[in-house]
């Protein structure tokens, strides 16, 4: 069996916010400024491998004991922007949702109830001291939530087939102000066309999250490890953001037929991804 450190961990996709250094108070700002100069910063795969390694001991470590000091870093037009991992906070939040995703016996086998209860108590105490805490990263498995595609445009799409040891990559990046504008426009169009639905709920939720960050931040939608499960041809042909934008624009214009066609393309594309999940 390969070591955890050598595995490519698939399935997870990400929505990240990179804030400029000026958004962070001292001494955190100084920490990230020094961190950004490091030549050996870890990748998202390193983050996932560490999380898997925590599940190997008995009993497993449901949530890291200490908060991560790592981050993803971008430099745009000379401005350093940072996306802290915050793996401990995200671990607590993910643990709260795990009961909805796994059957009881499977959940108990992976993370016994006593471990989950202790983690929940730790989170409650921590949250009392940090009531305004929020993660810079959202994660989904075996999908990209449709609400995420509303934030970006097809022109911001970047796809690389990869070669040799370089894996494929599919991502979008957009300025925060543009992402917020698209959320507002999308919500107006959807609410005028339909009363309610999961896409509206998802947009409201992600829109509130985006409001927590500096207006000069960057938003990144990354297919992450999901690219390792999809054939290169499917990735190359995946223009889900364009389909979402076309559907919303059609609703805005009262064209239900075109909106339905765009939605059907999305459903078919992401059904094939979910089928791979079932096969695994």
């Amino acid at each position: 069996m390969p070591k955890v450190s050598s595995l490519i961990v698939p399935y997870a996709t990400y929505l990240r916010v990179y804030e400029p250094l000026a958004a962070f108070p001292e001494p955190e700002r100084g920490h990230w400024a020094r961190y950004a100069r490091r030549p050996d910063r870890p990748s998202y795969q390193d983050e996932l491998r560490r999380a898997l390694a925590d599940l190997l001991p008995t009993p497993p470590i449901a949530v890291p004991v200490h908060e991560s000091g790592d981050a993803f870093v971008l430099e745009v037009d000379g401005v350093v922007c940072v996306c802290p991992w915050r793996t401990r906070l995200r671990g607590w939040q993910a643990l709260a949702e795990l009961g909805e995703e796994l059957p009881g016996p499977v959940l108990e086998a992976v993370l016994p109830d006593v471990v989950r209860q202790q983690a929940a108590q730790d989170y409650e105490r921590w949250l009392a001291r940090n009531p305004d805490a929020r993660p810079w990263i959202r994660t989904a498995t075996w999908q990209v939530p449709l609400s995420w595609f509303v934030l970006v445009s097809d022109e911001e799409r970047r796809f690389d087939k990869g070669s040799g040891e370089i894996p494929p990559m599919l991502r979008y990046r957009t300025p925060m102000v543009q992402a917020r504008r698209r959320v507002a426009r999308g919500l107006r169009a959807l609410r005028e066309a339909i009363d309610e639905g999961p896409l509206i709920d998802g947009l409201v939720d992600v829109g509130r999250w985006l409001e927590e960050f500096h207006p000069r931040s960057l938003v990144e939608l990354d297919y992450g490890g999901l690219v390792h499960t999809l054939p290169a041809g499917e990735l190359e042909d995946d223009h889900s953001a364009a389909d979402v934008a076309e559907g919303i624009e059609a609703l805005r214009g009262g064209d239900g037929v075109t909106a339905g066609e765009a939605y059907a393309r999305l459903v078919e594309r992401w059904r094939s991804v979910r089928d791979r999940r079932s096969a695994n």
Side-chain angles (χ1 to χ4, degrees), residues 82-239:
V82 176
C83 175
W85 283 10
R86 290 295 192 271
T87 49
R88 196 171 193 228
L89 172 59
R90 289 163 54 213
W92 276 319
Q93 292 178 338
L95 197 61
E97 300 170 0
L98 205 56
E100 302 175 5
E101 299 181 7
L102 295 178
V106 176
L107 180 60
E108 182 65 22
V110 175
L111 287 171
D113 182 65
V114 63
V115 174
R116 301 197 307 275
Q117 290 291 340
Q118 182 61 56
Q121 292 171 12
D122 292 344
Y123 182 38
E124 187 175 342
R125 287 193 293 267
W126 183 89
L127 202 57
R129 300 190 303 271
N130 302 273
D132 298 325
R134 79 287 197 253
W136 279 255
I137 304 171
R138 290 191 164 198
T139 305
T141 54
W142 286 106
Q143 63 166 328
V144 177
L146 294 187
S147 59
W148 293 8
F149 287 117
V150 178
L151 313 183
V152 297
S153 76
D154 196 60
E155 291 74 20
E156 295 158 344
R157 179 182 183 272
R158 297 293 179 268
F159 171 67
D160 190 327
K161 293 181 180 179
S163 61
E165 295 183 357
I166 301 175
M169 177 273 294
L170 178 55
R171 64 159 173 78
Y172 301 78
R173 284 180 187 154
T174 194
M176 176 63 76
V177 291
Q178 189 67 272
R180 289 175 178 170
R181 186 177 299 121
R182 289 169 180 150
V183 168
R185 285 171 55 86
L187 278 174
R188 281 198 299 271
L190 288 166
R191 284 169 167 162
E192 289 173 1
I194 55 179
D195 292 332
E196 57 185 16
L199 183 52
I200 289 178
D201 294 341
L203 264 184
V204 169
D205 178 55
V206 79
R208 288 173 177 164
W209 179 62
L210 293 181
E211 290 295 331
E212 298 286 335
F213 299 98
H214 193 284
R216 296 192 65 183
S217 301
L218 285 172
V219 180
E220 177 181 75
L221 192 168
D222 184 359
Y223 273 49
L226 197 59
V227 299
H228 300 289
T229 70
L230 301 176
E234 288 188 26
L235 285 171
E236 193 165 7
D237 294 338
D238 184 331
H239 289 268

